[in-house]
Amino acid sequence: MISSSYHLPSVISLTSLIHVNVCRGNMKKGYTELYNMNRDLINGYKIRCGNHQELLAALKQVNLIVQRAGRLRGTVYNRFSSLSLKLMYQKNS
């Protein structure tokens, strides 16, 4: 699963940083920092989008399993539920 551990500075500090650079006459540095921050925001969005897509795919699989399990009757259902519980306990330990 895709994950990210970086921390983006707040928008207020970014705005003040760009404002200070522009006021000092260093527009190129201000726009470079703005470009870099925009790139980081876009990369963060791509990571969140990938995580969301993976989550949707996993939830669809779980939902399909639950729907199929709901159709089972009798001894087949009992066997399925006991095997499912054993599998969950094995994964959690």
Side-chain angles (χ1 to χ4, degrees):
M1 190 166 191
I2 303 169
S3 65
S4 173
S5 61
Y6 64 87
H7 174 70
L8 295 175
S10 68
V11 175
I12 295 171
S13 64
L14 174 65
T15 306
S16 61
L17 177 69
I18 292 171
H19 179 69
V20 168
N21 284 332
V22 170
C23 289
R24 290 183 183 165
N26 195 354
M27 289 183 70
K28 183 177 180 180
K29 184 176 180 182
Y31 282 117
T32 301
E33 290 172 1
L34 180 62
Y35 173 80
N36 290 335
M37 180 59 63
N38 190 44
R39 185 189 63 228
D40 290 342
L41 289 171
I42 290 171
N43 287 337
Y45 170 76
K46 288 179 182 178
I47 290 169
R48 286 190 308 277
C49 186
N51 288 341
H52 179 71
Q53 294 300 322
E54 288 180 17
L55 176 64
L56 284 179
L59 288 175
K60 285 179 183 179
Q61 289 177 349
V62 168
N63 190 32
L64 187 62
I65 291 170
V66 168
Q67 286 178 350
R68 288 181 181 168
R71 292 186 211 131
L72 297 176
R73 299 283 185 256
T75 57
V76 176
Y77 173 75
N78 292 336
R79 199 172 349 142
F80 174 79
S81 60
S82 66
L83 289 174
S84 298
L85 287 173
K86 286 180 185 177
L87 182 63
M88 285 192 313
Y89 287 130
Q90 287 175 356
K91 283 190 174 186
N92 289 333
S93 57

